[in-house]
Each structure stands twice: as structure tokens, then as C-alpha cells.
């Protein structure tokens, strides 16, 4: 299958964050503010994705932004006035928190996707910044609660297999029109070797119920296919279609990661994520648990 041996696959140093989307499901909250700035407990969605990538050893963070997204780069900048104010007030713990949102100098790179032509097009927009090396893609709408960061789990596997990899999860068959779906060659329960990929198939056409979630490791050859600008599902340039074209010439695997994924692109998923993440928070977890129990009792007594 692959012409390269494992030792020839380059390490993953860069991650692309497509953040040009409009976030219409959260209007009017996202009328002016980027959807990636919606807070999940105490940090914006984009910071969750950034921290996961950083913990996995990523050194260069590439944002594909668009109009009205300036707040995203500001968020990751050094804010001296704020730090001085916090220092004057003796709030050193807050300074530490603020610093979790700082991307080091010459580690953040920005490019723009001027037209909303699809996820594949957004990734293509990053081609010059990625260059000739493999890279990760992080979709900030997908937030994963796990002990070991999802991307780190993937990179550890990648170091064994090389090639391309997507994070995957089993979904109910009726949900296949929402996801990229795997056509599986072999599956050991943890890793699935992929022989085909279909973007958002109808349930009756779906080759499996194993879906892609928003973490990818791709080889730079993906850009050869993306640059053809072929449109697919929804009339958009789909990353899934370009990935399907790599199959056969390079290894392509799906990893069932350990963890739970929340779809923060939907209002219900976002609320569920806020509940799950806040329950884990050492400061507010207990209070949130009390609130949930109180509401559950109210719901039960109303139903009785
Ligand atoms: C995108 C991808 C899809 C993937 C999904 C995961 O779809 O195109 O293959 O399964 O992310 O969240 P979107 O959610 O942007 O429609």
C-alpha cells in the first residue's frame, strides 16, 4: 500500500483551525462575536481546541479566519494592561489563567477564507502555511472531554502507523447525513482501516455508522486534491472527498479515541458540554451538581 516506511513519516508540528464559519445557529449571540468565542465554562471554544493541540505537542497554530473574526487573534495575544491591573490587585491566580490563552510569539499564523466554499476550501486556504509536511486539523465545534487529549491519542497512533488519520465514533444510523462516514476495510475495535469515505450520506446509502469527528491528521498530498476545487455534498468543496482520493496511495485509519465528544455547533450540544465540563470543574462542580439535582426534581414532580 504505502511506499513510505514508518520512519519516513514526518512528525506533526502544525495544526489548522478553520474558524471562518458564521455560527448562524447561535444568532443573535454570534451577530458580532465569532461563534468560536462562545464560552465553555470559562474559556472560549477556540481555546479548548488550542489547549488540546498544544498539549499534543503542536508548535504552530494556523487559523483560517474571515470577516469579523479579529477577536480570535486578540484573545491569544499578550494583554499587558490586563496583567498589570491584575498584578496591582494581587490576583496572581487570574494572571495564570489569562496566560493559558497566550500563543507564543511566531507560533500563531493567520490566513483568510474570503468565500464560504466549504471545509475543504478552508483547509486549502492554509496550504502555504502548512507547506510540505503533515498537519492536524482541529474543528473547534467538536469539543472532546478526555483524560488524554484526543489529538495526543491520535499522534501516538500516527507515530506507529504514519499516513492519515481521523478521529471516529459510532453513531446511530439516522445521523449519517450529519457526518463524514467511513467505508471500513478492517476494524480491530480501536482502529479501523479505511477503504472509502462519504460525506453526509443518507442512512440507507451509508457504508457504515462510523463517523468522522473534527480531528484529522493529513499528509500534504491532500492539497493536490483540494486544489481541484471539486464540489460535493451541499455544493461545497469537502475535505472528506479530497481525503477519499488519498486512500490507496497512503495508509488511512480511523481511531476510536477514549473520551466523549460534544457537538458545540448545536445549541443542545453546547449546553450539554457546559454541563459536563462544569461538573468537572474543581471550584464550581459541586454547585452545578446541586443545581442539576434541583432541576431534575422539579422536572420529575411536574411529570408526576
Ligand atoms: C464536518 C465534516 C464531516 C465531519 C464533521 C464532524 O461537517 O465535513 O465530515 O463528520 O465535521 O463534526 P460539518 O459539521 O462542518 O457539517
Amino acid at each position: 500500500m504505502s511506499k513510505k516506511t514508518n520512519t519516513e513519516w514526518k512528525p506533526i508540528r502544525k495544526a489548522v483551525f478553520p474558524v471562518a464559519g458564521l455560527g448562524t445557529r447561535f444568532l443573535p449571540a454570534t451577530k458580532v462575536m465569532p461563534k468560536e468565542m462562545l464560552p465553555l465554562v470559562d474559556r472560549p471554544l477556540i481555546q479548548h481546541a488550542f489547549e488540546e493541540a498544544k498539549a499534543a505537542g503542536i508548535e504552530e497554530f494556523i487559523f483560517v479566519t474571515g470577516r469579523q473574526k479579529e477577536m480570535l487573534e486578540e484573545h491569544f495575544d499578550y494583554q499587558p494592561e490586563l496583567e498589570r491591573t491584575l498584578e496591582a490587585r494581587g490576583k496572581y491566580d487570574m494572571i495564570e489563567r489569562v496566560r493559558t490563552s497566550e500563543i507564543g510569539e511566531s507560533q500563531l499564523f493567520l490566513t483568510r477564507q474570503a468565500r464560504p466554499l466549504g471545509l475543504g476550501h478552508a483547509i486549502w486556504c492554509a496550504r502555504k502555511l502548512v507547506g510540505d509536511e503533515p498537519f492536524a486539523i482541529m474543528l473547534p465545534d467538536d469539543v472532546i472531554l478526555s483524560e488524554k487529549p484526543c489529538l495526543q491519542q491520535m499522534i501516538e497512533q500516527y507515530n506507529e502507523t504514519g499516513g492519515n488519520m481521523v478521529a471516529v465514533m459510532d453513531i446511530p444510523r439516522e445521523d449519517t447525513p450529519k457526518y463524514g462516514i467511513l467505508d471500513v476495510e478492517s476494524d480491530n475495535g480501536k482502529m479501523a482501516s479505511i477503504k472509502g469515505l462519504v460525506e453526509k450520506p443518507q442512512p440507507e446509502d451509508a457504508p457504515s455508522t462510523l463517523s468522522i469527528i473534527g480531528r484529522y491528521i493529513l499528509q500534504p498530498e491532500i492539497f493536490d486534491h483540494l486544489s481541484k476545487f471539486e464540489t460535493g455534498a451541499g455544493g461545497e468543496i469537502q475535505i472528506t472527498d479530497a481525503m477519499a482520493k488519498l486512500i490507496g496511495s497512503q495508509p488511512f485509519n480511523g481511531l476510536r479515541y477514549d473520551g466523549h465528544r460534544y457537538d458545540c455547533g448545536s445549541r443542545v450540544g453546547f449546553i450539554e458540554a457546559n454541563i459536563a465540563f462544569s461538573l468537572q470543574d474543581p471550584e464550581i462542580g459541586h454547585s452545578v451538581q446541586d443545581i442539576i439535582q434541583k432541576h431534575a426534581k422539579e422536572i420529575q414532580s411536574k411529570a408526576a
Side-chain angles (χ1 to χ4, degrees):
M1 184 136 126
S2 155
K3 291 174 195 76
K4 294 183 186 180
T5 64
N6 284 354
T7 51
E8 285 172 303
W9 298 105
K10 291 184 190 164
I12 311 299
R13 302 187 313 111
K14 302 184 180 186
V16 176
F17 300 72
V19 290
L22 285 178
T24 47
R25 288 183 201 154
F26 290 93
L27 284 169
T30 50
K31 187 175 151 193
V32 176
M33 184 180 74
K35 67 169 174 171
E36 297 81 8
M37 288 303 292
L38 289 168
L40 180 46
V41 188
D42 56 7
R43 53 198 68 198
L45 290 175
I46 185 68
Q47 192 177 332
H48 286 272
F50 158 70
E51 286 188 27
E52 181 187 327
K54 189 178 173 191
I58 295 297
E59 297 162 13
E60 294 188 13
F61 306 87
I62 301 167
F63 288 8
V64 182
T65 73
R67 282 178 293 282
Q68 293 198 320
K69 296 280 185 171
E70 292 78 9
M71 202 189 280
L72 292 171
E73 54 187 291
E74 286 294 330
H75 178 75
F76 288 102
D77 207 349
Y78 171 49
Q79 300 288 354
E81 297 83 4
L82 176 60
E83 290 207 10
R84 273 199 295 273
T85 307
L86 292 172
E87 204 172 343
R89 293 182 188 170
K91 295 196 184 271
Y92 300 104
D93 54 336
M94 280 299 156
I95 295 177
E96 288 309 309
R97 282 202 195 190
V98 168
R99 286 188 182 154
T100 62
S101 65
E102 216 179 296
I103 299 186
E105 262 139 316
S106 81
Q107 286 192 295
L108 174 61
F109 299 86
L110 299 145
T111 186
R112 281 193 172 218
Q113 182 191 27
R115 291 170 187 77
L117 300 179
L119 179 57
H121 177 254
I123 303 305
W124 175 83
C125 291
R127 71 199 180 285
K128 300 270 186 210
L129 295 171
V130 171
D132 189 27
E133 61 180 286
F135 62 104
I137 302 173
M138 313 284 294
L139 305 189
D141 278 359
D142 283 337
V143 180
I144 298 158
L145 189 56
S146 58
E147 273 180 29
K148 190 184 275 187
C150 180
L151 186 63
Q152 190 183 336
Q153 296 177 40
M154 293 171 72
I155 289 178
E156 285 173 7
Q157 288 295 326
Y158 168 83
N159 291 339
E160 304 285 319
T161 59
N164 304 271
M165 191 175 293
V166 283
V168 297
M169 70 177 189
D170 295 283
I171 54 154
R173 186 162 276 273
E174 67 263 28
D175 286 348
T176 62
K178 293 193 218 158
Y179 297 98
I181 302 293
L182 275 58
D183 193 354
V184 175
E185 185 174 64
S186 62
D187 187 349
N188 67 9
K190 185 79 186 153
M191 286 268 277
S193 165
I194 302 174
K195 66 175 177 190
L197 289 163
V198 194
E199 181 67 9
K200 301 194 170 77
Q202 289 306 306
E204 60 276 19
D205 302 327
S208 78
T209 53
L210 208 49
S211 83
I212 301 170
I213 70 120
R215 302 289 182 273
Y216 306 70
I217 290 174
L218 296 175
Q219 297 298 318
E221 286 77 16
I222 192 77
F223 294 116
D224 301 342
H225 300 292
L226 288 174
S227 62
K228 291 182 186 135
F229 278 31
E230 287 170 13
T231 53
E236 296 188 345
I237 300 167
Q238 297 288 356
I239 190 77
T240 306
D241 297 339
M243 295 192 307
K245 298 212 171 92
L246 290 176
I247 298 167
S249 58
Q250 295 178 345
F252 217 121
N253 294 295
L255 175 70
R256 285 191 184 83
Y257 55 93
D258 290 322
H260 192 96
R261 170 259 190 180
Y262 297 91
D263 174 14
C264 291
S266 81
R267 289 192 296 170
V268 172
F270 177 69
I271 289 165
E272 189 189 359
N274 264 291
I275 294 170
F277 276 72
S278 58
L279 283 171
Q280 302 269 324
D281 187 293
E283 273 174 41
I284 62 169
H286 285 297
S287 311
V288 174
Q289 196 174 323
D290 292 344
I291 291 167
I292 293 168
Q293 277 162 350
K294 188 181 95 185
H295 282 269
K297 273 191 204 137
E298 279 173 20
I299 292 167
Q300 274 161 2
S301 63
K302 270 187 202 154

